[in-house]
Amino acid sequence: MRQFAFYILVLISSSIWSQTKLDSLQQLEEVVVKADVYLKTFSNTQTVSVLKDSVISRSTSSLTNLLNYNSGVYFKENGLGMVSSPSFRGTTAQQTAVTWNGININSQFNGQTDFNTINIRNFDDVTVRSGGGSALYGSGAIGGSIHLNNQLKFNTGFKNTIYSNYGSFNSWDVGYKSRFSTNRFSVDIALSRAQSDNDYEYVDSEKENLNGAFYNQSLSANFAYKLNSKNILKLYSYLYDGERHFSLIFSTETPTKYQDVNSRTMLEWLGNYGRFTSTLKIAYLTETYKYFPNIKKDLHTFGEAKTLLGKYSLDYKLFNNASLQSVIDVTHTTGEGSSIGKINRTISGFSLLFKQQLKNFLYEATLRQEVTNNYESPLLYSLGLKYNLGKHYSISINGSKNFRIPTYNDLYWEGSGNTDLKPETSYQVELGQELSFKNISLKATGFYNDITDMIRWLPSGNLWQPINTDHVVTYGLESQLDINVRFQSHKLSLGGNYTYTISKNQDTDKQLIYVPEHKASMMFNYQYKRVSLYYQALFVGDVFTLSDNNPKYTIDAYTVSNVGFEYALGNEQQYVLGAQAKNIFNEDYQSVANRFMPGIHYNFYLNFNF
């Protein structure tokens, strides 16, 4: 809480400073500052979907809920609000990279991100990038990557948004976002909190979700200042504090809880000098957790990691249609925990990126080599091509080599860590097609991914130890449809995602557990003047829960439907009242064995812009 108070003081002092300097600043052209330039510059030959605006405001605060209904990513969730891990193109949770303004934030301990610890109210957009991206974003970007982005804009004045949501199970979701900018100074502040008793009853049962309460709160504060017409200084910061009581399967179990606090700070200096663009980033990240095996006692296990990152990139515009970029980065991490001694790890990376846009043809290529004393890292690369056949149809192909480094738990867990582990390595190829007209677009991408040296924890004598063992091949199809039609005061929109995925262990010829062959989602929205009605649906096919694919131990397919209503008030329709009914058909379903999700439930929200 002291850190929260510190950030608030910084906000107040910065706002006062900006107002006193407002009149003395000269006029400069409007600029939108983005921290993650790779998404726009070097992702043209892969599928990238941006979620923002009404899609985010109609979702609950968790990143799990947003992506479950608006992407092809599958999630296994240990009950509502509990631990949530993704499977992207048939891969594991550790093989999905999560970035914050261009920096990989997967846990140093287990190599993944719990998507129920990410509150989407603190970000301007969430971007889903399908396919390999380790040459750009480092470890874990094998199946795909999720990007949490903040945008800093100049010369937009003073804008505020308040969001409040109350629903079943005494659930609260509140957020406040404020933007203030002049020609030279920009500040973006966001506060959010979500909490719930989470004591829902199981469908067709007298049982209820026990020990499921949770809360999380987060604060982001982002600043940008134009030193002159060529140089911009930016500061991004984020603080998260959360606690969850882990749901019980049986009432006789001992209640447990988990606390975590994460912070991120990044200073960036952007310089534009004719054909050269220089970017220097310095970031500091902390990750702390405590696990209480009995919530009535103060005894707990813990882990803490601190990361210092430096990154410099220099972009040179060879021609008007071609650019070459070199990147050097160094990451130093110190970590320790109850079962891990104090360990240091330093990773240096060297990258070279090239892109050229011809008349109807674009190609991009990247190379990356990492150096560390803990393991031998492979040379990473990617090559993508895109060709436009007329105005409405394009075809693209992309191939890449990707990897995932062993985590702290893999390498250093007391009594079991294996310092001889090799990184997981994957080779991927994908072929995409896009058909686009004024009111409709259709994307379809076929993919193939060959993963070797997958790290698994297996019994070794009386201990479990991580080893490089599995050879996994995943392949399938991703598709996305968007339709938008407007007739006078009527607006209709329809969006849908469908994913077909085969993910097999090559030694056993069995599908990986918790990877459905079929997943689909859709959204339909109708708006007439101030009134909006919308419908969401999510379908997930059968999943195996045992590696031998025993049909007796599968989770049945399920379909969940939600409906919502919105009404806009005010002269500029700046007040939006909304109501939602979720799981309207009272589907009895679970995404993890014996972790049942709620039946029909409701929530009401107000979105206020001023």
Side-chain angles (χ1 to χ4, degrees):
M1 295 305 295
R2 291 181 180 177
Q3 289 176 298
F4 269 90
F6 170 76
Y7 276 102
I8 293 172
L9 288 174
V10 170
L11 165 61
I12 295 173
S13 61
S14 298
S15 297
I16 294 173
W17 182 90
S18 65
Q19 291 173 5
T20 59
K21 295 290 184 179
L22 177 62
D23 295 335
S24 63
L25 299 181
Q26 63 183 18
Q27 292 287 330
L28 296 173
E29 64 181 15
E30 182 178 335
V31 175
V32 178
V33 180
K34 298 180 180 180
D36 190 351
V37 296
Y38 296 131
L39 271 178
K40 180 179 180 181
T41 309
F42 292 100
S43 298
N44 299 92
T45 60
Q46 292 176 269
T47 303
V48 176
S49 300
V50 182
L51 308 176
K52 55 184 179 180
D53 302 333
S54 63
V55 176
I56 291 180
S57 66
R58 289 173 175 176
S59 171
T60 60
S61 61
S62 79
L63 185 57
T64 298
N65 184 270
L66 176 69
L67 296 180
N68 222 359
Y69 285 90
N70 297 281
S71 76
V73 184
Y74 165 74
F75 289 90
K76 59 175 185 176
E77 192 174 8
N78 290 357
L80 185 65
M82 299 296 102
V83 175
S84 173
S85 54
S87 175
F88 206 147
R89 287 189 173 180
T91 60
T92 67
Q94 292 90 346
Q95 294 164 342
T96 298
V98 179
T99 74
W100 169 74
N101 291 307
I103 295 178
N104 191 315
I105 60 171
N106 280 14
S107 170
Q108 296 294 326
F109 295 103
N110 60 21
Q112 66 184 72
T113 294
D114 183 346
F115 280 57
N116 273 339
T117 65
I118 302 293
N119 192 313
I120 61 176
R121 309 284 177 226
N122 290 77
F123 308 103
D124 294 316
D125 69 69
V126 176
T127 301
V128 181
R129 185 183 189 272
S130 300
S134 293
L136 295 178
Y137 298 105
S139 173
I142 293 178
S145 52
I146 309 299
H147 304 263
L148 312 172
N149 302 313
N150 295 104
Q151 296 182 8
L152 289 164
K153 300 180 180 181
F154 292 98
N155 203 28
T156 60
F158 187 47
K159 297 180 180 180
N160 298 273
T161 299
I162 295 176
Y163 180 88
S164 61
N165 184 319
Y166 178 75
S168 303
F169 328 126
N170 194 29
S171 301
W172 288 89
D173 173 13
V174 294
Y176 170 68
K177 181 176 289 188
S178 179
R179 295 181 183 274
F180 175 75
S181 67
T182 64
N183 294 322
R184 278 196 172 177
F185 183 79
S186 177
V187 58
D188 177 11
I189 306 296
L191 293 156
S192 62
R193 180 179 172 92
Q195 66 182 54
S196 177
D197 292 344
N198 209 25
D199 53 355
Y200 55 87
E201 295 181 353
Y202 295 160
V203 177
D204 298 328
S205 172
E206 296 181 355
K207 296 181 180 181
E208 68 176 35
N209 192 43
L210 301 175
N211 195 56
F214 66 86
Y215 79 83
N216 61 71
Q217 54 195 2
S218 50
L219 166 65
S220 62
N222 309 302
F223 308 88
Y225 179 67
K226 291 183 183 179
L227 300 174
N228 51 45
S229 61
K230 296 182 178 180
N231 296 278
I232 300 176
L233 198 63
K234 296 173 282 181
L235 176 66
Y236 297 89
S237 59
Y238 178 82
L239 179 63
Y240 173 92
D241 169 48
E243 178 178 293
R244 283 182 293 182
H245 296 184
F246 287 150
S247 299
L248 308 179
I249 295 178
F250 303 106
S251 60
T252 55
E253 294 177 315
T254 301
T256 63
K257 70 177 180 181
Y258 185 89
Q259 297 174 341
D260 56 329
V261 177
N262 302 316
S263 70
R264 306 172 197 129
T265 305
M266 180 172 67
L267 182 66
E268 180 177 342
W269 179 12
L270 174 65
N272 293 290
Y273 314 110
R275 290 184 175 270
F276 289 94
T277 300
S278 170
T279 306
L280 175 64
K281 294 183 178 183
I282 299 175
Y284 181 67
L285 295 78
T286 68
E287 173 189 354
T288 305
Y289 75 84
K290 293 180 180 179
Y291 173 71
F292 297 80
N294 188 332
I295 62 174
K296 297 181 180 180
K297 298 180 180 180
D298 194 42
L299 296 175
H300 62 270
T301 58
F302 77 95
E304 182 178 17
K306 299 177 181 179
T307 300
L308 181 64
L309 180 149
K311 185 174 185 178
Y312 179 74
S313 63
L314 182 64
D315 183 277
Y316 178 64
K317 198 166 187 178
L318 294 169
F319 313 105
N320 291 334
N321 63 347
S323 62
L324 177 67
Q325 185 174 117
S326 59
V327 183
I328 300 175
D329 56 83
V330 179
T331 303
H332 178 75
T333 302
T334 300
E336 62 180 323
S338 302
S339 299
I340 297 176
K342 191 170 185 179
I343 303 295
N344 296 321
R345 178 161 70 183
T346 301
I347 302 173
S348 301
F350 307 90
S351 304
L352 192 64
L353 308 92
F354 179 78
K355 172 186 174 181
Q356 185 172 20
Q357 172 73 66
L358 302 175
K359 184 177 180 181
N360 293 314
F361 180 74
L362 175 147
Y363 66 98
E364 53 193 14
T366 62
L367 287 173
R368 178 175 175 83
Q369 179 65 62
E370 291 190 357
V371 179
T372 183
N373 59 347
N374 300 116
Y375 53 86
E376 293 185 5
S377 177
L379 175 67
L380 306 175
Y381 53 81
S382 69
L383 175 64
L385 311 171
K386 184 175 182 179
Y387 185 72
N388 296 320
L389 287 83
K391 296 181 179 179
H392 305 294
Y393 177 71
S394 65
I395 186 170
S396 60
I397 186 170
N398 185 281
S400 61
K401 182 178 181 179
N402 304 284
F403 84 135
R404 181 179 80 86
I405 65 174
T407 67
Y408 266 39
N409 290 357
D410 296 330
L411 293 170
Y412 308 120
W413 192 266
E414 185 178 3
S416 299
N418 182 359
T419 56
D420 293 326
L421 288 172
K422 296 181 292 184
E424 299 176 352
T425 304
S426 83
Y427 295 89
Q428 176 193 274
V429 63
E430 63 179 82
L431 177 66
Q433 300 180 74
E434 180 176 357
L435 187 64
S436 179
F437 296 93
K438 180 179 180 180
N439 298 319
I440 183 173
S441 69
L442 175 64
K443 300 177 182 178
T445 302
F447 61 89
Y448 180 89
N449 200 351
D450 190 310
I451 307 169
T452 57
D453 292 325
M454 184 177 285
I455 299 171
R456 291 184 64 198
W457 284 69
L458 298 174
S460 176
N462 296 324
L463 297 173
W464 286 72
Q465 190 173 31
I467 61 174
N468 294 107
T469 176
D470 281 353
H471 177 201
V472 174
V473 168
T474 75
Y475 59 91
L477 173 72
E478 292 177 337
S479 59
Q480 179 179 332
L481 174 68
D482 290 293
I483 300 174
N484 294 279
V485 179
R486 181 168 184 170
F487 176 70
Q488 294 181 347
S489 298
H490 302 270
K491 296 180 182 179
L492 291 172
S493 60
L494 175 67
N497 293 275
Y498 169 72
T499 303
Y500 171 72
T501 306
I502 296 297
S503 181
K504 286 190 175 183
N505 184 322
Q506 295 302 286
D507 295 329
T508 63
D509 197 35
K510 302 294 184 182
Q511 180 90 343
L512 292 192
I513 63 172
Y514 290 105
V515 177
E517 288 190 12
H518 306 278
K519 187 208 168 184
S521 62
M522 66 88 68
M523 160 72 84
F524 172 77
N525 181 78
Y526 167 71
Q527 180 179 345
Y528 176 70
K529 294 183 178 179
R530 295 175 178 267
V531 178
S532 295
L533 298 172
Y534 57 93
Y535 170 78
Q536 291 177 319
L538 169 67
F539 170 79
V540 176
D542 298 340
V543 297
F544 296 109
T545 63
L546 296 180
S547 57
D548 63 0
N549 288 184
N550 188 329
K552 294 182 179 180
Y553 299 96
T554 61
I555 295 178
D556 293 334
Y558 57 85
T559 302
V560 182
S561 298
N562 309 322
V563 295
F565 166 84
E566 285 184 349
Y567 186 78
L569 301 168
N571 293 331
E572 298 180 0
Q573 301 188 25
Q574 66 269 39
Y575 314 101
V576 178
L577 291 170
Q580 292 178 330
K582 297 192 170 185
N583 194 4
I584 57 175
F585 299 115
N586 211 34
E587 179 86 349
D588 184 7
Y589 74 104
Q590 52 192 313
S591 62
V592 174
N594 299 313
R595 299 289 186 176
F596 294 94
M597 301 296 283
I600 186 170
H601 56 290
Y602 309 90
N603 63 283
F604 307 89
Y605 58 92
L606 168 65
N607 197 353
F608 180 27
N609 300 283
F610 62 98

